Amino acid sequence: MDLFKALSPVIPVFFLVAVGFIFANWKKISLASVTEIIVYLCAPSLVFTALATKPLQAADISLLFLGALGILAGTGLLVWIYGLVFRLTSRGFVLPVLFMNAGNMGLPLALFAFGQPGLQRATLLFVIFSVFQYSLGIYILGGRGNWREIFRLPLIYATCLGLAFNLGQIQIAQLIFEPLSMLGYSTIPLMLVSLGYRLHDIKSLRLGHALGGASLRVIGGFFAAHITVVVLGAEGVNRQLILLYGSLPSAVVNFVLTEKYGQDPELAASIVVLSTLFSLVTIPIVFWILL
């Protein structure tokens, strides 16, 4: 496979991230309103329209859920081993290694590389990892672990509705589907530009364990995903998506959560930045393997 084919899904993604980074250097705005629009309007529309249309079997849903668990278990084991070897107990290290950038990076990469079937399955993985991040992730940080918080995420209801329409083979009127689809697809550029903007706001950068954490996230995560797909016998797009998600960089929201709960946010921020930089090289390699 030629180099251009490996780079073609990556170039538009990192181009839009760079646009957000440059824009942040030029003009300061509050992302709060943009985030609200994404969380409550755009992302639920994307989730619903992606899941409700193309046929998706119950076996695919189960496989992707087990794939997500395999990635979390594998990277969790690597974090535990790393902690024993280097005597590190920072919860700000654990969270950004466990949870990848399932939305901002995962969704557009899946769309550009694997088309609508890839986006559909990536959307489901995005929701699964979001649920774990706002439940298990907060528990790891020492929060109260209030599981009711999960049900405040609009993504949950959009997922249930989308899967119900899919598995029940319910047709959606074009008059309704078209505007929802347009709103949903706006999620991808908004997420990428917002990601670049947020990366610009991360000022401090630490090396040391941040290099280890970034390596565990993008390289260790890929190997955890590889073992998972072998054990599950995953094939086709499901296999490709699980491997891609295992190799994604850390999500910026990990830094936000560690800062909120006072759990070594500088280390978390450094892992986010370094893993994103690493992914400029590692993600094309992953696509070279997959495509």
Side-chain angles (χ1 to χ4, degrees), residues 41-47 49 179-189:
L41 292 177
C42 300
S45 297
L46 178 67
V47 168
T49 54
L180 285 178
S181 180
M182 290 173 63
L183 189 60
Y185 274 109
S186 69
T187 306
I188 291 175

Side-chain angles (χ1 to χ4, degrees), residues 247-284:
S247 63
L248 290 175
S250 182
V252 177
V253 71
N254 291 315
F255 163 65
V256 176
L257 291 174
T258 54
E259 189 171 46
K260 178 179 178 180
Y261 289 96
Q263 297 290 346
D264 210 350
E266 288 188 358
L267 177 57
S270 299
I271 293 174
V272 170
V273 172
L274 290 175
S275 64
T276 303
L277 292 175
F278 286 179
S279 68
L280 287 167
V281 175
T282 58
I283 288 179

Side-chain angles (χ1 to χ4, degrees), residues 99-120:
F99 295 105
M100 74 292 291
N101 200 333
N104 300 50
M105 294 284 285
L107 295 178
L109 285 170
L111 174 63
F112 295 138
F114 310 118
Q116 189 62 32
L119 177 63
Q120 183 186 47

Side-chain angles (χ1 to χ4, degrees), residues 161-277:
L161 193 61
L163 290 176
F165 270 67
N166 190 309
L167 298 177
Q169 298 183 342
I170 302 171
Q171 296 296 318
I172 308 170
Q174 284 297 110
L175 188 64
I176 298 174
F177 180 81
E178 288 296 335
L180 285 178
S181 180
M182 290 173 63
L183 189 60
Y185 274 109
S186 69
T187 306
I188 291 175
L190 284 174
M191 278 184 164
L192 291 173
V193 173
S194 297
L195 172 60
Y197 195 98
R198 287 194 178 95
L199 288 174
H200 184 273
D201 284 347
I202 297 176
K203 304 299 182 183
S204 58
L205 191 65
R206 285 163 48 183
L207 299 178
H209 290 305
L211 287 170
S215 300
L216 288 181
R217 169 80 298 283
V218 298
I219 300 173
F222 176 80
F223 283 105
H226 178 69
I227 293 171
T228 299
V229 296
V230 170
V231 171
L232 295 177
E235 297 178 350
V237 179
N238 291 332
R239 174 182 176 275
Q240 292 171 316
L241 261 294
I242 292 171
L243 289 172
L244 172 62
Y245 265 67
S247 63
L248 290 175
S250 182
V252 177
V253 71
N254 291 315
F255 163 65
V256 176
L257 291 174
T258 54
E259 189 171 46
K260 178 179 178 180
Y261 289 96
Q263 297 290 346
D264 210 350
E266 288 188 358
L267 177 57
S270 299
I271 293 174
V272 170
V273 172
L274 290 175
S275 64
T276 303
L277 292 175

Side-chain angles (χ1 to χ4, degrees), residues 14-31:
F14 284 105
F15 178 83
L16 288 176
V17 173
V19 167
F21 189 90
I22 294 168
F23 179 73
N25 193 56
W26 171 59
K27 190 172 182 65
K28 297 300 178 184
I29 64 170
S30 172
L31 282 181

Side-chain angles (χ1 to χ4, degrees), residues 46-93:
L46 178 67
V47 168
F48 174 72
T49 54
L51 293 179
T53 50
K54 301 293 182 181
L56 187 64
Q57 303 299 319
D60 293 321
I61 299 171
S62 301
L63 184 66
L64 292 171
F65 181 77
L66 292 175
L69 287 181
I71 293 172
L72 288 173
T75 51
L77 177 61
L78 291 174
V79 168
W80 180 71
I81 293 172
Y82 186 97
L84 286 180
V85 172
F86 294 99
R87 298 182 181 180
L88 179 68
T89 58
S90 171
R91 297 180 184 185
F93 179 87

